[in-house]
Amino acid sequence: DQQVKQNSPSLSVQEGRISILNCDYTNSMFDYFLWYKKYPAEGPTFLISISSIKDKNEDGRFTVFLNKSAKHLSLHIVPSQPGDSAVYFCAASMDSNYQLIWGAGTKLIIKP
Amino acid sequence: DGGITQSPKYLFRKEGQNVTLSCEQNLNHDAMYWYRQDPGQGLRLIYYSQIVNDFQKGDIAEGYSVSREKKESFPLTVTSAQKNPTAFYLCASSTGTGSEKLFFGSGTQLSVL
């Protein structure tokens, strides 16, 4: 049973436009969410996170929105740049639990 | 430069053979982790260690073993009992203070000959 779902395996966006990556979760006990970015043959790198006490967190071009009632979060990238082409993973955890639960990832392709 | 080093980058396993994947970190992190990634799937936790000489099984520990004799090192052995070992293996570390922000190595691709 997948507790964290990224239903879009891939997404193609024009350079300069907004990229929106979505993530849904089923476990209401999750209270911390993270986004990681991964290039081929490399390990993921941390991008941005959000605690369940917030509904929005912003860091430069990256904003994460959390809708707890819908058990949904999204990552917005504005404006999209060619270097943003990568696989983006959503992950979730419960307080004091070291185990992150990962989504399957969404491959983002930024078209010039 | 602080970071996590995984070696080798590519590894081939013969039938019935045990192989060991290396993971070293110089970030002075207490916690270390091993994940497995299969195509089209999220990362799955194999083992993790919060402190030297202690480790816990993750979701898919069967067919794997680990040791944590030093803070800097967390090697993973893929035993012959792991019948489907072909995957991308990622080692990670964190401060272990309840922070879930993980720092990852560049991974090892293991394939079966």
Side-chain angles (χ1 to χ4, degrees):
Chain A
D1 179 31
Q2 277 189 298
Q3 296 187 68
V4 177
K5 298 179 184 179
Q6 293 177 256
N7 292 318
S8 299
S10 66
L11 176 67
S12 188
V13 174
Q14 202 73 36
E15 181 180 355
R17 307 292 281 267
I18 183 171
S19 297
I20 300 175
L21 296 98
N22 293 304
C23 179
D24 296 293
Y25 60 97
T26 57
N27 192 336
S28 57
M29 297 297 290
F30 288 145
D31 60 4
Y32 192 64
F33 304 88
L34 306 91
W35 285 93
Y36 281 79
K37 175 180 177 179
K38 183 183 181 300
Y39 293 118
E42 292 184 12
T45 55
F46 171 78
L47 195 57
I48 192 168
S49 63
I50 188 166
S51 165
S52 61
I53 61 173
K54 294 186 174 181
D55 55 17
K56 176 183 174 181
N57 190 26
E58 197 170 349
D59 184 3
R61 296 186 297 115
F62 303 91
T63 303
V64 56
F65 295 93
L66 175 63
N67 182 335
K68 289 187 289 292
S69 60
K71 296 192 182 71
H72 176 84
L73 64 155
S74 60
L75 175 67
H76 293 213
I77 307 173
V78 183
S80 299
Q81 298 175 354
D84 295 330
S85 294
V87 176
Y88 289 79
F89 289 98
C90 168
S93 74
M94 289 177 268
D95 188 36
S96 300
N97 187 328
Y98 285 90
Q99 289 203 35
L100 281 175
I101 308 299
W102 297 76
T106 296
K107 184 176 183 179
L108 176 64
I109 301 164
I110 304 300
K111 299 179 293 186
Chain B
D1 269 345
I4 299 179
T5 302
Q6 287 187 243
S7 62
K9 199 165 182 65
Y10 300 96
L11 186 59
F12 296 92
R13 194 191 90 166
K14 294 180 182 178
E15 199 73 36
Q17 185 183 39
N18 292 354
V19 292
T20 298
L21 284 62
S22 170
C23 179
E24 303 277 333
Q25 56 101 356
N26 60 5
L27 298 167
N28 199 32
H29 284 170
D30 288 315
M32 296 187 74
Y33 312 79
W34 274 105
Y35 284 93
R36 169 179 170 143
Q37 185 190 12
D38 293 280
Q41 295 192 35
L43 279 65
R44 292 184 291 167
L45 184 65
I46 305 172
Y47 268 98
Y48 66 101
S49 167
Q50 299 175 26
I51 197 168
V52 174
N53 292 322
D54 187 42
F55 48 82
Q56 284 79 41
K57 293 182 179 179
D59 298 323
I60 55 165
E62 187 175 348
Y64 300 97
S65 66
V66 293
S67 63
R68 187 86 186 276
E69 297 175 2
K70 297 185 300 181
K71 186 176 184 177
E72 302 80 19
S73 179
F74 192 40
L76 173 74
T77 296
V78 184
T79 74
S80 57
Q82 173 49 247
K83 298 306 179 189
N84 184 23
T86 297
F88 190 57
Y89 290 86
L90 286 160
C91 179
S93 71
S94 71
T95 57
T97 58
S99 165
E100 292 81 10
K101 181 179 174 182
L102 301 176
F103 294 81
F104 283 88
S106 57
T108 294
Q109 176 64 50
L110 176 63
S111 303
V112 177
L113 288 175

